[in-house]
Amino acid sequence: MQSVHSLVRGVCVFTVAFVCASSAFAQDKKKGDVKPYEEVVTKDAASDPGVFLVHRIDDRILYEIPAAELGHDFLWLVQIAGTQAGSGYGGTPAAERIVRFELRDDKVLLRDVRYSVRADTKDSIKNAIEAISIAPIIALFPVKAWGKDKAPVIDVTDVFKGDITEFSARAAFNAQGADPSKSFIESIKSFPENIETKVLMTYRVNKGGFDFETESWGPPQTALTALIHHSMVRLPLQPMKPRKYDSRVGFFTVGFLDYASQEQGVERVNYVNRWRLEKRDKNAAVSEPVKPIVYFVGREVPDKWKPWVKKGIESWQPVFEAAGFRNAILAKDAPSPQEDPDWDAEDARYSSIRWMPSIVENAYGPHVHDPRTGEILEADIQIFHNVLKLARDWYFVQASPNDERAQTMPLPDDLLGELLAYIVAHEVGHTLGFPHNMKASSAFTIEQLRSKDFTEKWGCEASIMDYGRFNYVAQPGDGARLIPKIGPYDFFAVDWGYREFAAGLSAEQEQAELNRIVARQVDDPVLRFSDPNPFLDPSAQTEDLGSDGVAATELGLKNIDRVASYLVKATCKEGKDYELLRNMYDALVGQRDLELNHVVAIVGGVVYSNLWYGQSERQFDPVPVERQRAAVAFLLQHAFQVPPTLIAPEIVDRLQPNGAVDRFRASQVNILRYLTNTLRLRRMAEFEARAPGASYGPAALLEDLRRGLFVELDRERVTVDLYRRNTQRAWVDLMVDYVAQNSRDSDVSALARAELKVLLQHMNDVLIKTADRATQVHLTDLIDRADRALDPRGKN
């Protein structure tokens, strides 16, 4: 017993000794950590004053944080400034976060600040919100020394070289992690409101094989080095006055849960994202802004395209002038290194147009905003080089019948420049806060789209933020404008989002003014907004044009036939291969499919008006029966018949040995499946139940399709060509699939079974009338397939 007691007593003594030693060590460490200023910021330090006083000593970075800046919110942005081909693009965003530096004794905390939950009130609910709004601590920095006016000096080197998750770009490269031993701080600059840091980071990767970006094979790769740019910008000390989102007007938003709302429950509040535009002359109807929106055209943008990029940016000037701001948006060349050695496109103070060397056929316009108010602070539009090819292909297949300049390749630079200006204007719209408005391309009538005067004024869609592309409805001789421009909806949306109201208006008075602007939508459908809805609303489709989808597609198909007639001549050159012909043929057939699918959307479609209570008696209006039947008749005539122009030997014999059979079979199968998808049939059944005898129901649709697809069976001598055999086989297989599903929550399986029974009887009746062996074999096969589906146990 004595030995056990001694053991326990010994542990106790050791514990006390250890605690005492640890306490003494902690006190010594605390005393030794904070050193005299001159021992930390030595004479070897390169110091740069700004929002923080930044010191660089070899490869170590020290922040001397003025006491006045502690507790302020900073926006921390991480972008890829440079990398190797196939591993990303300069200007690509990698991380975005709101941070705050706080002093706690002799330590500085870097905290992650979030605004997703709020309660701006004196009510006691604020205590509950504060309890669930503790900002996470991203990093902790011991104070190395005290500067002037008790400004803490901290070492932040590891924030940049240590690959902290919150500020890491490794996800952009699919990297396993960073290698600090091969990473270096290239530069750091402190400005009055921001700090810009560039780090040459090396990441551990496992790459090799085919690179789809460079379209080449590469050796195995275990390391990837990229230039990473960190921008830390102080958020405005005086937050912008926010504007609450209205779903009837399209804007990107920032949202939060408001627990101080007067609603009976938590209210989801959204503020629109917009730039802070304030009139210099508050009493003027139209005034220069205090601070205009400036986009710098990046140094890397090819010289011949810079004027067109500027044109796209400044095409928004008349829109803002109509809302009260003259010269609100400006395009400037980026200064040369000699003109301004500190200027940098990744600097979060500057908005820019960046040009990316990439085969990607795209462009995009992201922006950075203040999460407290939605104020847009900066935007960098990314233009991938191969968007020029995309614009060329679109214009050739959609508009070349109306523009002789586009009837041979390559397109002239002045024409391609116009197309680029349109793309830039669209992307600038995104950085002004506007999402896509897919309602806009269906706002104009066919007559308006073919009118020279109308299209010169408004272009070919009500908003440049739609995906209307180019005017494929216009016919040769119309003289109509072919390229979209800023439309009436864009003027309306800028007016609602950016108009500055007289000082002194209460929140209720300002909201009343905004409501008066929105009310214009009731009598003018051209001003309405809707997200894309390809499975529901035929007036909110992508890549469409015109208020009448059937008439627009009929005219569009005529233009496709015209393009096919000169396709070879336009794309083929002596001594060259057929790659351009193949590319344009693919684009032309793809355009045909797009236009046909706009007609499909009419069947079982519902038009969404996006008006609120008191403005309209209903939001959803089924497409009238006669329009739906006309759409089906059009599809039977055009979608399920292969146009001779697109299978002309002079085209297909140059492209593939088996012609175009597989291509058109796939197209028709996709259209059939889209036309008869379960959601569409269920919706049609519901509308039929609501209005018996006044709706186009799923049974009527399937019957019309069967009759149209098998019209050959009603002829004196039954013969079915190769392309039609594929179409009929696809229809039977689709019905067989629906029967096999044995749906318990809809009539789809029952309707499919009924259609197969009728078709089976019809095929049996006419089998003896077949005019050729191929047709006889084809019908016999379809009879067998239908038989097996209807009675799977009857045959083996």
Side-chain angles (χ1 to χ4, degrees):
M1 291 297 294
Q2 185 177 359
S3 59
V4 173
H5 176 76
S6 300
L7 178 63
V8 173
R9 186 168 175 268
V11 170
C12 293
V13 171
F14 173 78
T15 302
V16 171
F18 177 77
V19 170
C20 293
S22 297
S23 177
F25 175 77
Q27 291 176 1
D28 291 343
K29 188 172 186 296
K30 183 175 181 181
K31 290 178 181 179
D33 274 352
V34 181
K35 298 180 179 180
Y37 184 84
E38 60 275 7
E39 291 185 21
V40 176
V41 184
T42 66
K43 58 182 176 55
D44 297 324
S47 301
D48 187 13
V51 63
F52 294 176
L53 182 55
V54 174
H55 310 285
R56 179 166 186 169
I57 306 173
D58 297 326
D59 205 33
R60 307 298 295 176
I61 301 297
L62 304 177
Y63 278 177
E64 184 173 333
I65 307 176
E69 298 297 343
L70 292 167
H72 283 165
D73 288 352
F74 286 81
L75 175 65
W76 194 309
L77 298 173
V78 184
Q79 291 182 312
I80 301 170
T83 184
Q84 62 198 58
S87 301
Y89 318 101
T92 301
E96 177 183 330
R97 197 165 294 273
I98 305 298
V99 299
R100 184 184 299 156
F101 290 88
E102 293 180 356
L103 181 64
R104 188 180 183 93
D105 299 327
D106 60 347
K107 297 178 179 63
V108 172
L109 312 181
L110 179 60
R111 310 197 74 163
D112 184 0
V113 183
R114 302 170 189 180
Y115 287 93
S116 57
V117 178
R118 307 183 199 179
D120 187 11
T121 177
K122 294 180 180 179
D123 189 88
S124 56
I125 186 65
K126 188 172 185 177
N127 299 325
I129 298 307
E130 290 175 352
I132 62 170
S133 301
I134 297 175
I137 300 171
I138 299 173
L140 182 148
F141 307 95
V143 175
K144 299 294 185 182
W146 297 102
K148 184 180 178 181
D149 298 326
K150 286 295 277 187
V153 179
I154 60 175
D155 188 331
V156 294
T157 310
D158 290 343
V159 173
F160 300 107
K161 294 177 60 178
D163 197 40
I164 293 176
T165 299
E166 285 80 359
F167 309 120
S168 177
R170 64 176 176 267
F173 305 111
N174 195 27
Q176 283 78 52
D179 187 344
S181 67
K182 300 176 184 176
S183 300
F184 308 92
I185 296 176
E186 292 288 273
S187 66
I188 185 165
K189 300 175 184 177
S190 186
F191 298 96
E193 295 183 355
N194 57 302
I195 298 174
E196 306 298 321
T197 309
K198 287 189 174 181
V199 186
L200 195 66
M201 289 292 295
T202 299
Y203 296 95
R204 296 186 297 275
V205 296
N206 184 15
K207 294 183 66 177
F210 189 77
D211 190 316
F212 288 95
E213 170 58 28
T214 60
E215 295 187 329
S216 62
W217 292 88
Q221 183 179 348
T222 59
L224 183 148
T225 300
L227 187 62
I228 306 302
H229 189 123
H230 296 258
S231 281
M232 192 187 76
V233 187
R234 184 176 59 200
L235 290 181
L237 299 180
Q238 180 62 44
M240 181 186 75
K241 182 179 180 180
R243 183 158 294 178
K244 278 192 175 182
Y245 173 63
D246 187 318
S247 64
R248 295 167 294 184
V249 189
F251 268 88
F252 293 120
T253 64
V254 57
F256 59 93
L257 297 179
D258 185 5
Y259 282 83
S261 169
Q262 297 303 308
E263 300 290 331
Q264 293 181 344
V266 181
E267 181 185 6
R268 176 73 182 181
V269 175
N270 290 291
Y271 293 149
V272 301
N273 292 352
R274 60 184 185 136
W275 295 83
R276 187 190 299 219
L277 282 182
E278 299 167 334
K279 288 182 178 180
R280 190 183 301 275
D281 182 352
K282 299 293 185 183
N283 297 319
V286 180
S287 166
E288 299 256 344
V290 173
K291 182 180 179 181
I293 305 166
V294 178
Y295 292 85
F296 288 93
V297 180
R299 293 166 178 165
E300 72 282 0
V301 175
D303 290 337
K304 69 177 178 180
W305 302 130
K306 286 182 179 179
W308 299 105
V309 170
K310 292 178 183 177
K311 181 179 179 181
I313 295 169
E314 295 189 342
S315 64
W316 284 92
Q317 283 189 352
V319 192
F320 280 93
E321 187 159 348
F325 296 96
R326 184 181 298 110
N327 296 323
I329 181 167
L330 304 174
K332 295 183 179 181
D333 285 319
S336 67
Q338 294 74 30
E339 293 171 325
D340 186 353
D342 290 331
W343 191 91
D344 195 312
E346 280 85 34
D347 188 332
R349 294 177 298 165
Y350 304 124
S351 297
S352 62
I353 309 292
R354 309 297 307 278
W355 196 271
M356 309 297 165
S358 169
I359 65 170
V360 173
E361 299 178 15
N362 201 4
Y364 68 102
H367 64 262
V368 176
H369 60 268
D370 185 339
R372 302 170 302 177
T373 63
E375 178 183 357
I376 298 175
L377 305 171
E378 180 259 0
D380 289 301
I381 294 171
Q382 320 289 319
I383 307 290
F384 296 101
H385 185 85
N386 230 26
V387 79
L388 298 173
K389 174 186 176 298
L390 180 64
R392 178 202 68 183
D393 292 359
W394 279 342
Y395 196 77
F396 178 76
V397 301
Q398 294 169 1
S400 64
N402 294 279
D403 189 344
E404 291 184 359
R405 297 175 299 170
Q407 292 176 11
T408 185
M409 295 288 114
L411 301 186
D413 282 352
D414 62 336
L415 173 55
L416 199 55
E418 291 180 45
L419 307 185
L420 179 59
Y422 153 64
I423 292 170
V424 170
H426 177 93
E427 300 306 332
V428 167
H430 283 316
T431 64
L432 296 173
F434 302 122
H436 294 131
N437 178 11
M438 296 310 182
K439 183 76 79 171
S441 55
S442 65
F444 296 158
T445 66
I446 301 302
E447 292 73 19
Q448 289 171 328
L449 291 171
R450 298 186 63 181
S451 166
K452 183 179 187 301
D453 292 340
F454 182 87
T455 54
E456 283 298 331
K457 182 177 181 180
W458 293 119
C460 47
E461 54 186 4
S463 171
I464 204 164
M465 302 314 299
D466 202 323
Y467 272 0
R469 309 310 185 196
F470 305 116
N471 192 348
Y472 63 78
V473 171
Q475 300 294 290
D478 289 345
R481 180 182 172 88
L482 305 174
I483 302 174
K485 60 187 299 187
I486 305 292
Y489 170 83
D490 302 314
F491 280 83
F492 162 79
V494 168
D495 194 25
W496 182 91
Y498 281 91
R499 179 168 291 280
E500 185 178 27
F501 297 103
L505 286 185
S506 66
E508 293 76 15
Q509 290 171 322
E510 182 167 314
Q511 187 59 54
E513 293 294 330
L514 292 170
N515 289 340
R516 271 192 281 275
I517 295 175
V518 176
R520 290 156 49 194
Q521 291 179 326
V522 176
D523 297 322
D524 191 355
V526 169
L527 305 181
R528 293 180 188 171
F529 167 80
S530 180
D531 293 320
N533 201 327
F535 297 105
L536 177 69
D537 188 348
S539 70
Q541 303 293 301
T542 64
E543 322 282 343
D544 69 329
L545 279 180
S547 57
D548 185 336
V550 170
T553 301
E554 183 174 20
L555 294 170
L557 294 184
K558 288 181 179 179
N559 279 332
I560 286 174
D561 286 342
R562 293 184 179 107
V563 175
S565 71
Y566 53 77
L567 183 62
V568 173
K569 181 181 178 182
T571 61
C572 295
K573 298 290 186 292
E574 189 75 27
K576 299 288 186 180
D577 63 17
Y578 293 114
E579 185 57 35
L580 185 56
L581 173 63
R582 184 185 311 280
N583 174 84
M584 289 305 191
Y585 182 68
D586 289 345
L588 192 62
V589 175
Q591 178 66 25
R592 176 179 180 270
D593 289 345
L594 275 174
E595 294 180 26
L596 290 170
N597 277 313
H598 299 151
V599 180
V600 173
I602 295 172
V603 182
V606 181
V607 175
Y608 173 50
S609 64
N610 195 17
L611 297 175
W612 289 2
Y613 185 78
Q615 293 182 317
S616 175
E617 292 185 0
R618 54 197 299 170
Q619 283 198 91
F620 299 99
D621 289 289
V623 174
V625 173
E626 60 274 12
R627 280 195 64 201
Q628 296 187 56
R629 288 192 180 275
V632 173
F634 181 88
L635 292 169
L636 288 169
Q637 181 182 355
H638 295 281
F640 304 115
Q641 301 283 353
V642 178
T645 56
L646 292 180
I647 55 173
E650 69 165 348
I651 298 175
V652 296
D653 288 352
R654 288 182 164 96
L655 295 180
Q656 49 198 27
N658 62 336
V661 174
D662 291 342
R663 181 191 300 274
F664 285 98
R665 177 175 60 235
S667 170
Q668 291 178 351
V669 168
N670 288 337
I671 289 174
L672 273 177
R673 291 191 177 277
Y674 183 28
L675 188 58
T676 62
N677 74 68
T678 303
L679 288 176
R680 189 185 311 278
L681 296 180
R682 286 177 178 173
R683 187 165 61 248
M684 294 174 72
E686 182 170 351
F687 282 123
E688 186 178 36
R690 294 183 194 173
S695 298
Y696 188 44
L701 169 63
L702 296 182
E703 180 181 358
D704 287 346
L705 288 174
R706 171 177 50 78
R707 290 181 181 277
L709 295 175
F710 289 87
V711 68
E712 292 89 347
L713 303 188
D714 297 324
R715 294 171 184 162
E716 187 63 29
R717 297 290 290 168
V718 179
T719 180
V720 186
D721 68 25
L722 173 62
Y723 293 98
R724 290 288 286 183
R725 292 200 295 272
N726 283 331
T727 306
Q728 293 175 359
R729 192 177 301 113
W731 168 257
V732 170
D733 288 346
L734 185 61
M735 294 300 102
V736 168
D737 288 346
Y738 281 143
V739 169
Q741 289 175 12
N742 196 24
S743 176
R744 296 181 180 180
D745 55 0
S746 76
D747 298 329
V748 175
S749 295
L751 292 171
R753 184 180 296 275
E755 284 301 317
L756 280 180
K757 286 182 177 181
V758 173
L759 180 60
L760 181 61
Q761 182 64 53
H762 198 179
M763 290 189 295
N764 277 316
D765 290 344
V766 304
L767 189 59
I768 195 172
K769 298 195 301 181
T770 53
D772 56 80
R773 176 67 174 164
T775 300
Q776 184 181 50
V777 170
H778 166 66
L779 292 182
T780 302
D781 175 61
L782 294 187
I783 289 170
D784 186 57
R785 294 182 189 215
D787 238 354
R788 289 175 182 272
L790 294 171
D791 187 11
R793 293 169 296 181
K795 293 188 177 182
N796 295 320

